[in-house]
Amino acid sequence: MKTLSTSLCTAVACACSIAVSTPAHGKDPRFTLPPRNVILIIGDGMDYQQITAARNYLVGAFGQLNIDSLPKRSAVQVLTIDEAPPHNVAYVADSANGGTTLATGTVTSAGRIGTTVEDADTPNILELAKARGYRVGVVTSASVTDATPAAFLAHVSFRSCEGPADMYPGVPPGAPPGTPSLPGCLPDQKAAGGKGSIAEQIATGKADVVLGGGTGKFGQTVEEGGKTVLQLAMEKGFQYANSPATLNAIQSGRVLGLFAGSTLLVKFTGPTATKMTFDSAGNALTPLPEPGNCSSNPTFATVPSLAVMTDKAIKLLSRNNQRGFFLMVESASVDKQAHARNACGHIGEMQQLDEVVEMVRAYAGDDPGTLVIVTADHGQAVQVLNEARAGGSGTPMGYVTRLNTPSDGSVLRIGYATSHGPQEDHTGTEVPILIHGGSPAAFVKPFMWQSDVFLMMAKHLNVNLD
Amino acid sequence: MKTLSTSLCTAVACACSIAVSTPAHGKDPRFTLPPRNVILIIGDGMDYQQITAARNYLVGAFGQLNIDSLPKRSAVQVLTIDEAPPHNVAYVADSANGGTTLATGTVTSAGRIGTTVEDADTPNILELAKARGYRVGVVTSASVTDATPAAFLAHVSFRSCEGPADMYPGVPPGAPPGTPSLPGCLPDQKAAGGKGSIAEQIATGKADVVLGGGTGKFGQTVEEGGKTVLQLAMEKGFQYANSPATLNAIQSGRVLGLFAGSTLLVKFTGPTATKMTFDSAGNALTPLPEPGNCSSNPTFATVPSLAVMTDKAIKLLSRNNQRGFFLMVESASVDKQAHARNACGHIGEMQQLDEVVEMVRAYAGDDPGTLVIVTADHGQAVQVLNEARAGGSGTPMGYVTRLNTPSDGSVLRIGYATSHGPQEDHTGTEVPILIHGGSPAAFVKPFMWQSDVFLMMAKHLNVNLD
């Protein structure tokens, strides 16, 4: 909640020294350059197992997704440190601190949004770009106050400080077991000198386009009372869209689009995972589930797809804009549906992400001025398991789903076993990064730390050249 | 067991048309070119979780392994088809068919060694290179008759046909549950017109250097009787080494080095994984294990390390050789120790692989004549789990090990849950490939099918230019 730090760097992983100045249009020769754009696509929890499962189901093992055709690839070591001193490394990130590292280059602890472990705010790429004259936007299939978009739009000590009614002391109710001890949301309240909840920071922030879910949080009354967060956002200049039609009707200006109470509907539904159980002697009690099929979610069309939102965001951000833009697009339910062990859910969400990749790549074309990055914030629980194993001693632990794949005519077996509880957990795997366009290949090393992704975007937008 | 197919291609994944001719030294202008070498390093089961676990333990999350510094990266979709018609896709490979795809470009069924699902032999890169005048070798930390080296050295219908005493009808005893129905080893016997067991094929084959374990299989009596497979190999021109000293003493010529009955000793030992158990209501009964430490295996020095074997192999293959060589190096216990849920075992084996990468990269230098490829044959069960979760409802399913990491001072939690049985199982994830040297970047696409790795090697060695 503290004021902007003069340094972007924590003691750990400090590799950057970026100063920000107010842009001087007409004087700075760089403003005569063609527009520069960054489109960062985050598949939340989109690790290699998730991609392979989606490829196998959607196009078959001999097929190729759009993300597979992006021309440059690296791998990203996810970075997390403990909240408590001495801030040792932790090996599994969440969307809050993973998103913060991507957005700010700062490594922090799980749950934190745009703040260091010392609770100092760290400027994010969206703010840095906006301060230099770029238009900026965020699109997500989650609530726009959820951890990943929040990391690009706000600074709070904990991800659950989403709306003014959520400003709990300490760890909020409902936080998952093992959630680290954090200062809670009270110091982020305006009365305490903070910037308010994530929703309030979005409403009063400088983003040009914010599209996703979140009417639940924006319907809450602002800390000072007298109006909702949505009313505050409209006072601050946002046009509001709440349906595909109202979104489509807006042709220019700032837009806040909220199309669900929280997370948007997913594209596919399908069988729930079956929990494998065993007797005290270790013999399998539960037969493997019969193969099922994914179905189109009949209500999906009532919300704009990720591709529709991204298309609109690009149009709004690029229209009559000689400077360029920064856009973050999050495909949130890759992660959320894996937490819930819904294979068709995360596969359908990967299809949404892949549609966005195709569209964005077509927009970028061969122009190196647009840097397209597709990456993940952390790994997930999903594993593609061996369908050749019958039940009995080869039975996997955890939960299993079996799906008939349309392309291969084969059965795809997917397992989840990171948690005995109601939700799967993240894993600590390195994650993929795929890149199209942008500046020379020197930006892409075959192995990166997560903070390098921020540096790549900052370099492309010249925010570190003052 | 059939004679060499005229085509390398199965109906599926046919992307190659390679003819092989006898080299015509002195007439072919290509023989005036500098030597061309391929060094293929296979981390068996070395997927992204394995690499991340090894990185975290060996050099810390902010550290970098030698494999991380290789200059080009792609991802490889593993390819498997069913043994039974219509030969549908299967999504999880084993080392036999994964190795066969890498070695031959042919997609086949799990368990098969250098044979198609129609049981036709498919020429491998080692044979193709040898036929064109290259020296050829295999180094492994497994038995040289194990599936991965066998895929480069032999053609049998099933991986268990390792020695003359192993030529069982049908699926051999001890094969894992779910092993597909295969024709068994009898048609591979010489009496039936076959080429004999894997060990016998190595003994009578054309490899220049074969180093690993395997005295158990080479001590068996050949099918015709009267001698051991080892005696047959020495009759055929192999010098024999059975210790670091005897290996070191050999300076030229063909070498068979066998330094263990089967798999070589591993570098690290450590705590065994703890099985998480739950009561009938789903409450966790087993506390998470206390963090342990990896220890150097005191008997490891009695066998040559993978780096020592690789160094010797390169010296033998490159000495006074203007043509070049093909060398496959397998780090086998990345997989084997993950099957056995020994975290320190697979981490220590990754350290061995990484030592080999450093040495091979130094050997290759900046000379594009040497193509170095590091990849895996399939995924494994290992997952880096969330240490922030205490026991109780967040307890993972399956088996858990916790390790104190020397570099970060943090606790690394590793889980395994693909099988309830005594051994973990492979997974179907896409796998990494890292490349140094070789021909232009055009060879490296950001996404590949496993058969493309064979094509890349074949192109580099010009075996497909006749």
Side-chain angles (χ1 to χ4, degrees):
Chain A
M1 56 76 65
K2 297 175 188 166
T3 52
L4 276 180
S5 167
T6 53
S7 166
L8 292 186
C9 306
T10 59
V12 184
C14 181
C16 50
S17 176
I18 296 177
V20 181
S21 73
T22 306
H25 289 271
K27 294 180 180 175
D28 187 328
R30 283 168 296 179
F31 286 88
T32 64
L33 296 172
R36 290 208 154 205
N37 310 312
V38 169
I39 303 173
L40 171 65
I41 301 169
I42 299 177
D44 202 301
M46 183 193 69
D47 60 21
Y48 302 92
Q49 295 269 8
Q50 287 263 20
I51 291 171
T52 311
R55 183 185 302 117
N56 291 343
Y57 186 87
L58 296 170
V59 295
F62 289 91
Q64 190 166 333
L65 297 168
N66 294 313
I67 53 170
D68 297 330
S69 70
L70 294 178
K72 298 176 197 169
R73 175 186 289 272
S74 182
V76 177
Q77 167 88 25
V78 171
L79 295 172
T80 305
I81 52 176
D82 287 343
E83 171 75 5
H87 307 304
N88 278 344
V89 166
Y91 297 114
V92 178
D94 81 333
S95 293
N97 80 295
T100 296
T101 304
L102 291 167
T104 73
T106 300
V107 180
T108 190
S109 65
R112 283 201 166 273
I113 299 289
T115 51
T116 70
V117 290
E118 296 85 12
D119 205 24
D121 294 356
T122 56
N124 62 51
I125 186 69
L126 192 141
E127 294 162 339
L128 294 167
K130 185 72 182 176
R132 291 192 54 81
Y134 295 94
R135 285 189 204 154
V136 294
V138 164
V139 168
T140 178
S141 49
S143 170
V144 300
T145 56
D146 202 30
T148 304
F152 292 79
L153 294 165
H155 306 271
V156 293
S157 57
F158 194 65
R159 59 184 292 170
S160 295
C161 315
E162 289 186 64
D166 306 321
M167 305 301 271
Y168 311 96
V171 176
T179 299
S181 176
L182 285 160
C185 303
L186 295 186
D188 290 312
Q189 286 191 315
K190 294 176 188 172
K195 294 175 174 173
S197 67
I198 294 167
E200 291 167 290
Q201 290 189 46
I202 294 171
T204 59
K206 294 182 176 177
D208 296 289
V209 178
V210 179
L211 304 178
T215 53
K217 303 303 180 188
F218 279 79
Q220 295 178 6
T221 302
V222 300
E223 187 181 324
E224 301 87 344
K227 68 186 81 162
T228 65
V229 185
L230 178 59
Q231 289 170 322
L232 174 65
M234 295 173 77
E235 276 182 16
K236 295 291 182 181
F238 277 111
Q239 300 165 88
Y240 178 55
N242 63 359
S243 69
T246 53
L247 177 64
N248 189 47
I250 298 171
Q251 299 301 319
S252 63
R254 298 177 71 208
V255 181
L256 173 65
L258 303 175
F259 308 103
S262 179
T263 306
L264 269 61
L265 296 166
V266 295
K267 191 164 187 178
F268 292 166
T269 59
T272 54
T274 300
K275 184 175 182 176
M276 299 289 102
T277 59
F278 305 88
D279 66 18
S280 57
N283 300 304
L285 295 174
T286 314
L288 291 165
E290 289 300 309
N293 300 289
C294 297
S295 307
S296 295
N297 182 355
T299 56
F300 175 69
T302 62
V303 296
S305 69
L306 202 63
V308 164
M309 290 193 290
T310 303
D311 179 60
K312 174 56 79 174
I314 290 175
K315 284 177 174 148
L316 290 165
L317 295 173
S318 64
R319 179 188 166 95
N320 298 326
N321 178 3
Q322 292 306 306
R323 180 65 173 130
F325 64 84
F326 170 82
L327 173 62
M328 191 286 285
V329 180
E330 185 209 16
S331 182
S333 288
V334 180
D335 178 71
K336 292 183 188 299
Q337 294 290 299
H339 276 301
R341 305 175 181 120
N342 291 332
C344 292
H346 54 78
I347 289 170
E349 183 79 0
M350 278 296 304
Q351 190 178 54
Q352 284 220 73
L353 179 142
D354 210 45
E355 289 168 358
V356 169
V357 169
E358 181 182 25
M359 191 189 64
V360 164
R361 190 176 185 181
Y363 170 77
D366 296 328
D367 176 9
T370 298
L371 172 63
V372 179
I373 298 172
V374 185
T375 192
D377 47 356
H378 56 72
Q380 249 288 352
V382 174
Q383 290 186 309
V384 176
L385 298 180
N386 195 347
E387 180 62 15
R389 300 283 182 259
S393 68
T395 303
M397 321 286 270
Y399 290 77
V400 173
T401 293
R402 295 169 73 216
L403 295 176
N404 297 303
T405 58
S407 298
D408 292 327
S410 305
V411 175
L412 176 64
R413 186 184 296 188
I414 295 177
Y416 313 84
T418 59
S419 172
H420 190 64
Q423 292 266 314
E424 289 296 321
D425 207 345
H426 302 167
T427 64
T429 181
E430 59 187 22
V431 294
I433 182 167
L434 291 138
I435 296 160
H436 171 93
S439 304
F443 283 7
V444 184
K445 301 174 293 185
F447 168 75
M448 307 167 78
W449 290 275
Q450 199 159 30
S451 46
D452 292 334
V453 182
F454 164 78
L455 292 177
M456 195 191 323
M457 300 189 295
K459 281 184 189 174
H460 185 72
L461 297 178
N462 286 329
V463 301
N464 57 341
L465 294 181
D466 285 301
Chain B
M1 56 76 66
K2 296 176 187 167
T3 52
L4 279 177
S5 167
T6 53
S7 167
L8 293 185
C9 305
T10 60
V12 183
C14 180
C16 50
S17 175
I18 297 179
V20 182
S21 72
T22 306
H25 288 272
K27 294 180 181 176
D28 187 329
R30 283 169 295 179
F31 285 87
T32 64
L33 296 172
R36 289 208 155 205
N37 310 312
V38 169
I39 303 174
L40 171 65
I41 301 168
I42 300 177
D44 202 303
M46 183 194 70
D47 60 21
Y48 302 94
Q49 295 270 7
Q50 287 263 21
I51 292 171
T52 310
R55 182 186 302 117
N56 290 343
Y57 187 87
L58 296 171
V59 295
F62 289 91
Q64 189 165 335
L65 297 169
N66 293 312
I67 54 170
D68 297 330
S69 70
L70 294 178
K72 298 176 195 168
R73 176 187 288 273
S74 181
V76 177
Q77 167 88 26
V78 171
L79 295 172
T80 306
I81 53 175
D82 287 342
E83 171 75 4
H87 308 304
N88 277 344
V89 167
Y91 297 115
V92 179
D94 81 333
S95 293
N97 81 296
T100 297
T101 304
L102 292 167
T104 74
T106 300
V107 180
T108 190
S109 65
R112 283 201 166 274
I113 299 288
T115 52
T116 70
V117 289
E118 297 86 12
D119 205 22
D121 295 357
T122 57
N124 62 52
I125 187 68
L126 191 141
E127 294 162 340
L128 294 166
K130 186 72 182 176
R132 291 191 54 81
Y134 295 94
R135 286 189 205 154
V136 294
V138 165
V139 167
T140 178
S141 50
S143 170
V144 298
T145 57
D146 202 30
T148 304
F152 292 79
L153 294 165
H155 306 271
V156 293
S157 57
F158 193 66
R159 58 184 291 170
S160 296
C161 314
E162 288 186 64
D166 306 322
M167 305 301 272
Y168 312 97
V171 176
T179 299
S181 176
L182 285 160
C185 303
L186 296 186
D188 289 312
Q189 287 191 314
K190 293 177 189 172
K195 294 176 175 173
S197 67
I198 293 167
E200 292 166 291
Q201 291 189 46
I202 294 171
T204 59
K206 294 183 177 176
D208 296 289
V209 178
V210 180
L211 304 178
T215 54
K217 303 304 179 188
F218 279 78
Q220 294 179 5
T221 302
V222 300
E223 187 181 324
E224 301 87 344
K227 68 188 78 162
T228 65
V229 186
L230 178 58
Q231 289 170 322
L232 175 65
M234 293 173 77
E235 276 181 19
K236 295 291 183 181
F238 277 112
Q239 302 165 86
Y240 178 55
N242 64 359
S243 68
T246 53
L247 178 64
N248 190 48
I250 298 170
Q251 299 300 320
S252 64
R254 299 178 71 210
V255 181
L256 173 64
L258 303 175
F259 308 102
S262 180
T263 307
L264 270 61
L265 296 166
V266 295
K267 191 165 187 176
F268 291 167
T269 59
T272 55
T274 300
K275 184 175 181 177
M276 299 289 102
T277 61
F278 304 89
D279 66 17
S280 57
N283 301 305
L285 295 174
T286 314
L288 291 165
E290 289 301 310
N293 300 289
C294 297
S295 308
S296 295
N297 183 354
T299 56
F300 175 68
T302 62
V303 296
S305 70
L306 201 64
V308 164
M309 290 193 290
T310 303
D311 178 61
K312 173 58 78 172
I314 290 175
K315 285 179 174 145
L316 291 166
L317 294 172
S318 63
R319 179 188 167 96
N320 297 327
N321 178 2
Q322 292 306 305
R323 180 66 173 129
F325 64 85
F326 170 82
L327 172 63
M328 190 285 285
V329 180
E330 184 209 15
S331 182
S333 288
V334 180
D335 179 70
K336 292 183 189 298
Q337 294 289 302
H339 277 300
R341 305 173 181 121
N342 290 332
C344 292
H346 54 79
I347 288 170
E349 184 79 0
M350 278 295 304
Q351 190 179 53
Q352 285 220 70
L353 180 142
D354 210 46
E355 288 168 359
V356 169
V357 169
E358 181 182 26
M359 191 189 64
V360 164
R361 190 176 185 180
Y363 170 77
D366 295 329
D367 176 9
T370 298
L371 172 62
V372 179
I373 299 172
V374 185
T375 191
D377 47 357
H378 55 73
Q380 248 290 354
V382 175
Q383 289 186 311
V384 176
L385 298 180
N386 195 347
E387 179 64 16
R389 299 284 181 260
S393 68
T395 303
M397 320 285 270
Y399 291 76
V400 173
T401 294
R402 294 169 74 216
L403 295 176
N404 297 304
T405 57
S407 298
D408 292 327
S410 304
V411 175
L412 175 64
R413 186 184 297 188
I414 295 178
Y416 312 85
T418 60
S419 172
H420 190 62
Q423 292 267 314
E424 289 297 321
D425 208 345
H426 302 166
T427 64
T429 180
E430 60 187 22
V431 294
I433 183 166
L434 290 138
I435 296 161
H436 171 92
S439 304
F443 284 7
V444 184
K445 300 176 293 186
F447 169 73
M448 307 166 80
W449 290 274
Q450 199 160 30
S451 46
D452 292 334
V453 183
F454 165 78
L455 292 175
M456 194 192 322
M457 299 189 295
K459 282 184 188 173
H460 184 71
L461 296 179
N462 286 330
V463 300
N464 57 342
L465 295 180
D466 285 304

